[in-house]
Amino acid sequence: MVKVGIVSYGAYVPRYRITPEEIGKVWGVDGKGMGRGLYILEKSVPHPDEDVATIATEAARNMLARTSVPADRIGALYVGSESHPYAVKPTATIVATAIGASPRMTAADLEFACKAGTAGIQVSMGLVGSGMAEYAVAIGADTSQGAPGDALEYSASAGGAAYLIGKKDLIAVINKTVSYTTDTPDFWRREGQPYPTHAGRFTGEPAYFRHINAAAKMMMEDVGTQPSDYQYAVFHQPNGKFPTRVAAGLGFTEEQVQTGLLTPRIGNTYSGAVPIGLAAVLDVAKPDDRIFVVAYGSGAGSDAFDITVTDGILEYDRDAAPTVSKLIEDPVYLDYASYAKFKGKIVMQE
Amino acid sequence: MASVAREWREIPGRYNTVGTKCGACGKIYFPARSLCPKCRRASVGKMERYDISEEGEVYTFSVVHDAPDANMRMKPYAVGMVKTTDGVLLTGQIVDIDPHRIEIGMPVRTVLRKIYEDGESGVIHYGFKFVPKW
Ligand SMILES: [Zn+2]
């Protein structure tokens, strides 16, 4: 089979933050305790002029800055998100134009809760592997919303990452991808509703844990590996606790998970979560490092990836764009009033 | 309010600060022009696409307190002139920084942001703004 993999990548996280403590103050809740329980120290907040189109564009521009592949050789571009700015009018068209990839290409928006970004990587692998496209771009990005006072308000944040998928000059080979998909109503949002609904705390076991475990085990069985064969593991991270718990259950150590675990610092970036986590790993990865990746999207499904870093990473111009740790090193903290204004939670007079 | 069609034609310059360079005298124009006002007929057929640098420094700025409705959620905010590394002066909003911390000469880069929305059901207009350099 033809080798398909990652040619370049780039991430983006908005500059603003709010702490669970600050959110809790407003609702008479022990926010600090809530944050400890979720293992979320702070979450990113988009500026009022940022949305999935601008976040995806920043991530994609960072991706292109690190490679000499010209944008007009990108044959396909997918933006996976559950917070596309328009209900009808693809985000992918805006991003493709902003990075100079349009018009001779195909583009579409994908939706699968928090795993729409990794779904885009799979679609891109298919197009590139079959020769239908020389290069394809998959982006996962979100500006997720939690209803005021809801548990999700403590975690829902914003960010994204972009991946250039190709066959030549790979920095990492994607050895295999497998998915596990069922019809599970753990989390949803109906058309026209501003905030999502979730089936409550019990959803961890039948949803997140069941799907990630199934996809992870399928993957290791198929490729004949065990957790100790991997230097890094990235799991979907709706909070800081779930990924370490699912990792431990599968036999991965905390050290393997640490590098790709960003939720404690930036919150749950939904479709951006696994792509940003993988970006943080690629920021420091060395040739022959093996990376285990499992995304999760409510509704529900998990995408697993088995990735090996190549010698290409040595000549790759990582410094041409900011690393994930650089992106998050200088945040600006908001009080709840400014946060509510930023997120449009205050109803303005017409 | 600009028409959707006019906005659409201007997208290259709004998303990516694409201007033109006069092949006769070398002057760079933004927004793009089809004729160099200095060289006039000598520039016909010699105006080339020019991608203006995405980095520059604050040349001058002012803080806006009385904002139009579209920018209500951002005020007070700064509007500045930025001199790009290739010497072009661009005008736009400077964001992701407290306006009172902006200084002349501060290094910035261009980013894509929402400029305004035609209400709840209209088109969202995107364009360049400036943020502090990484
Ligand atoms: Zn001229």
Side-chain angles (χ1 to χ4, degrees), chain A residues 6-7 169-172 287-288 309-317:
Chain A
I6 299 165
V7 178
D169 301 320
L170 303 181
I171 58 165
D288 297 327
V309 178
T310 71
D311 290 346
I313 197 96
L314 297 173
E315 278 133 66
Y316 180 61
D317 195 4

Side-chain angles (χ1 to χ4, degrees), chain B residues 22 24-27 29 36 38-39 43:
Chain B
C22 171
C25 71
K27 195 167 163 47
Y29 293 97
C36 173
K38 226 169 80 194
C39 305
S43 70

Side-chain angles (χ1 to χ4, degrees), chain B residues 28-57:
Chain B
I28 299 162
Y29 293 97
F30 184 85
R33 309 188 68 134
S34 48
L35 199 75
C36 173
K38 226 169 80 194
C39 305
R40 304 195 58 86
R41 266 173 52 198
S43 70
V44 173
K46 288 182 182 160
M47 299 300 284
E48 295 153 8
R49 174 195 163 112
Y50 183 82
D51 293 301
I52 294 164
S53 165
E54 283 150 25
E55 291 180 1
E57 56 177 54

